[in-house]
């Protein structure tokens, strides 16, 4: 099994001149072959270096996406959907060349149905934009992966993030989709009804498909009322194990905590420097409680008692919106704050998720392993649902460091799988975890996925090379 991404070995399928001419005739300057534009769309937050796409199309409607995909299908040219560019696993990389379809200009909130708690948006709408438009209605969309990702990209990777412990992931919160298939046809899946038994669940098939089955052009989501009361707290612990065991106890007690995030001392140190905070540089839980005033108070008191039993100290409240925003902004910037601790580095990031009862064991072994190796790192985690990330910081000019990071990642993933966990809780497979998928799902499971891919994309044009090699 290997976790590294192949590069030069991918078969190239560049755009023929006839297709470029057709795109420029139809879309004018919105189809670009300029090197700077192509390079911008040939790079995400992953550590992989791959040549950029041959052209970039800035689509403005589902009809335009369908036209472009139909043209690509006629020429057997790869299509790579592009949203906000925040992927960590190489999803946006044009490993075989082809056309990058940028949907960031498809950024309209189409319909808000407050009585049904639903909203329909175009794929380029970002989560921050959506919540700004919902706020005056007393509603919000809770899925928060940290980056200001696009809704289409969040669907494609089955994102989750800090609120998943209470509100679930994109899988639970997407009701319906409009998708352009590999043939260039527009397909609708699902409806605004909260449940359905009508045939195969095509919506769930496309959620998490990483752009390999079609281009998402419209999304209908569940919404939630803004909670009456919100309170956040930070608490420091003598060890990572104590912080994790506190989390386990909170979840097993059934406390409906909204967010429960872990930062290790390296991450706390990084955000202190980056955001000019003065948090104790110890393992830390950052928590948030939603509900009525009485309910929030009851949750917080229960959590504080549990934390104290495990050595938690410096329990501090952030009650005002400004205080909460400052803390959560620092948490969301932890990735870039961590990178800044080693200027010029790239991060190899893990994404394991395990049953909550096995979390302490999994994190403990992973931390001991990287400490013994000596590679610089930091760790953050959505530990309320068993998901955590170690970012190994490697010098891109030192291939041996990348090899050490991949070896550490491989040992961590194998251990997580033995604990009945997964190699990826929210980032997806992309280029990085294809070998791990085979180990986790088994040869028969991956073979079935391949047959689904072949049935929906017989010419293998939709984001080829991701999830598994074409």
């Amino acid at each position: 099994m290997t976790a590294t991404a192949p590069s030069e070995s991918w078969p190239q399928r560049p755009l023929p001149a006839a297709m470029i001419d057709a795109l420029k005739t139809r879309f004018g300057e919105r189809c670009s072959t300029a090197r700077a534009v192509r390079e911008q769309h040939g790079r995400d937050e992953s550590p992989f270096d791959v040549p950029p796409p041959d052209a970039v199309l800035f689509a403005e409607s589902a009809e335009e996406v369908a036209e472009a995909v139909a043209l690509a299908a006629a020429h057997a040219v790869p299509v790579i959907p592009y949203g906000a560019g925040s992927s960590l696993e190489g999803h946006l990389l044009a490993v075989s060349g082809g056309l990058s379809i940028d949907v960031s200009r498809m950024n309209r909130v189409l319909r808000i149905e407050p009585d049904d708690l639903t909203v329909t948006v175009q794929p380029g709408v970002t989560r921050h934009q959506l919540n700004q438009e919902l706020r005056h209605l007393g509603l919000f969309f809770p899925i928060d992966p940290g980056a200001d990702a696009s809704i289409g990209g969040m669907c494609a990777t089955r994102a989750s993030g800090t609120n998943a412990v209470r509100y679930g992931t994109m899988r639970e919160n997407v009701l319906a989709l409009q998708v352009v298939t590999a043939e260039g046809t527009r397909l609708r899946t699902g409806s605004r009804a909260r449940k359905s038994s009508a045939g195969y669940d095509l919506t769930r098939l496309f959620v998490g498909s990483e752009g390999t089955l079609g281009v998402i052009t419209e999304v209908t989501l569940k919404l939630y009322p803004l909670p009456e009361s919100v309170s956040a707290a930070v608490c420091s612990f003598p060890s990572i194990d104590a912080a994790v065991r506190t989390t386990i106890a909170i979840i097993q007690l059934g406390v409906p905590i909204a967010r429960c995030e872990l930062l290790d001392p390296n991450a706390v140190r990084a955000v202190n420097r980056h955001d000019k905070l003065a948090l104790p540089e110890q393992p830390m839980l950052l928590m948030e409680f939603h509900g009525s005033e009485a309910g929030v108070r009851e949750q917080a008191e229960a959590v504080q008692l549990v934390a104290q039993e495990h050595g938690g100290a410096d329990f501090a409240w952030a009650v005002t919106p400004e205080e909460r925003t400052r803390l959560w902004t620092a948490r969301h910037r932890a990735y870039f704050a961590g990178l800044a601790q080693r200027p010029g580095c790239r991060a190899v990031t893990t994404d394991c998720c395990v049953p909550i009862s096995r979390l302490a064991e999994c994190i403990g072994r992973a931390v001991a392993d990287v400490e013994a190796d000596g590679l610089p790192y930091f760790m953050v985690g959505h530990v309320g649902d068993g998901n955590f990330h170690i970012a190994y910081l490697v010098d891109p000019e030192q291939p041996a460091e990348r090899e050490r990071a991949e070896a550490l990642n491989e040992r961590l993933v194998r251990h997580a799988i033995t604990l009945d966990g997964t190699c990826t809780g929210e980032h997806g497979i992309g280029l990085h975890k294809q070998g791990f998928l085979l180990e986790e799902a088994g040869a028969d499971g991956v073979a079935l996925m391949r047959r689904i891919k072949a049935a929906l994309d017989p010419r293998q044009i939709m984001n080829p090379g991701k999830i598994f090699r074409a």
Side-chain angles (χ1 to χ4, degrees):
M1 179 180 67
T2 178
T4 57
S7 54
E8 302 85 2
S9 59
W10 293 99
Q12 295 300 296
R13 292 189 280 166
L15 270 70
M19 180 174 169
I20 293 176
D21 290 343
L23 286 168
K24 290 194 171 184
T25 298
R26 170 63 181 84
F27 299 105
E29 293 183 355
R30 289 192 288 118
C31 176
S32 176
T33 54
R35 184 169 185 83
V37 175
R38 293 189 296 114
E39 287 182 346
Q40 176 194 354
H41 289 76
R43 179 76 177 269
D44 57 12
E45 294 299 328
S46 74
F48 308 125
D49 291 312
V50 173
D54 299 295
V56 176
L57 172 65
F58 293 90
E60 295 182 350
S61 69
E63 293 85 355
E64 290 186 353
V65 173
E67 286 183 58
V69 172
L71 188 59
H75 290 273
V77 164
V79 170
I80 307 97
Y82 185 98
S86 56
S87 166
L88 290 166
E89 300 294 350
H91 295 109
L92 310 176
L93 305 184
V95 294
S96 295
L99 176 67
S100 175
I101 298 183
D102 186 323
V103 298
S104 61
R105 298 184 185 182
M106 295 172 62
N107 59 357
R108 290 190 297 127
V109 176
L110 300 173
R111 293 178 299 280
I112 303 174
E113 303 285 350
D115 292 343
D116 296 320
L117 297 178
T118 66
V119 63
T120 300
V121 302
Q122 291 183 311
V125 170
T126 66
R127 65 174 186 86
H128 183 264
Q129 174 195 349
L130 176 58
N131 279 321
Q132 287 295 106
E133 298 204 26
L134 294 171
R135 185 171 297 276
H136 73 285
L137 296 171
L139 302 173
F140 81 121
F141 180 65
I143 308 305
D144 179 5
D148 192 20
S150 67
I151 297 299
M154 290 168 64
C155 291
T157 56
R158 204 183 312 153
S160 54
T162 60
N163 276 320
V165 63
R166 177 158 182 170
Y167 297 99
T169 72
M170 291 299 284
R171 180 183 64 187
E172 291 81 32
N173 287 283
V174 177
L175 291 170
L177 296 171
Q178 182 189 86
V179 180
V180 172
T181 70
E183 299 170 340
T185 59
R186 294 163 64 187
L187 170 72
R188 289 194 176 273
T189 76
S191 69
R192 289 197 303 111
R194 288 296 173 119
K195 63 180 183 179
S196 172
S197 295
Y200 296 142
D201 192 341
L202 297 180
T203 302
R204 299 298 175 277
L205 177 62
F206 284 99
V207 173
S209 62
E210 303 183 19
T212 63
L213 301 179
V215 183
I216 294 170
T217 54
E218 191 175 294
V219 186
T220 299
L221 302 165
K222 295 180 185 178
L223 299 178
Y224 297 80
L226 282 168
E228 173 189 333
S229 181
V230 178
S231 182
V234 294
C235 185
S236 299
F237 291 85
S239 67
I240 290 175
D241 185 72
V244 174
R245 293 192 183 281
T246 297
T247 303
I248 294 171
I250 291 168
I251 300 305
Q252 291 178 341
L253 282 171
V255 178
I257 192 168
R259 302 184 185 186
C260 188
E261 296 289 296
L262 171 69
L263 286 77
D264 79 338
N266 297 328
V268 177
R269 189 175 305 114
V271 299
N272 274 345
R273 293 175 181 175
H274 189 272
D275 287 80
K276 297 179 174 56
L277 300 177
L279 300 169
E281 294 183 358
Q282 298 175 266
M284 175 175 291
L285 289 181
L286 175 55
M287 298 165 282
E288 190 167 275
F289 310 93
H290 295 178
S292 66
E293 288 189 16
V296 164
R297 184 167 55 252
E298 182 180 347
Q299 294 172 41
E301 289 171 354
V303 167
Q304 189 165 5
L305 287 174
V306 172
Q308 290 171 347
E309 290 175 3
H310 291 84
D314 301 315
F315 209 94
W317 295 98
V319 179
T320 68
E322 294 77 15
E323 291 172 327
R324 292 198 308 271
T325 297
R326 190 178 185 203
L327 279 177
W328 286 112
T329 298
R331 164 61 186 90
H332 289 330
R333 291 175 179 166
Y335 177 76
F336 295 104
L339 291 180
Q341 300 308 295
R342 192 179 187 191
C345 74
R346 301 287 289 273
V348 175
T349 308
T350 75
D351 183 34
C352 289
C353 187
V354 296
I356 192 71
S357 64
R358 312 308 296 270
L359 184 61
E361 176 186 349
C362 193
I363 288 181
R365 182 182 291 192
V367 170
D369 202 13
V370 66
E371 288 284 353
D373 180 275
L375 197 66
Y377 77 99
F378 65 92
M379 180 174 64
V380 295
H382 315 308
V383 288
D385 57 6
N387 188 200
F388 67 98
H389 314 295
I390 296 180
Y392 306 112
L393 305 180
V394 302
D395 182 344
E397 302 300 321
Q398 299 293 328
E401 289 194 4
R402 171 68 182 277
E403 292 175 6
R404 287 161 58 193
E406 295 293 358
L408 288 164
N409 182 36
E410 184 165 332
R411 291 196 292 272
L412 168 55
V413 170
R414 281 183 166 156
H415 184 219
I417 291 174
T418 67
L419 299 178
D420 210 14
T422 177
C423 64
T424 177
E426 59 185 6
H427 294 165
I429 296 296
L431 290 174
H432 196 205
K433 295 183 169 69
Q434 295 174 5
F436 298 144
L437 177 65
L438 184 62
E439 186 159 321
E440 181 176 325
D444 289 342
V446 172
L448 178 57
M449 294 181 201
R450 286 181 177 276
R451 291 200 295 274
I452 293 170
K453 164 76 169 170
L456 286 137
D457 181 18
R459 306 198 74 178
Q460 301 290 314
I461 68 167
M462 300 307 307
N463 208 10
K466 317 302 160 49
I467 303 182
F468 34 75
R469 295 198 66 173

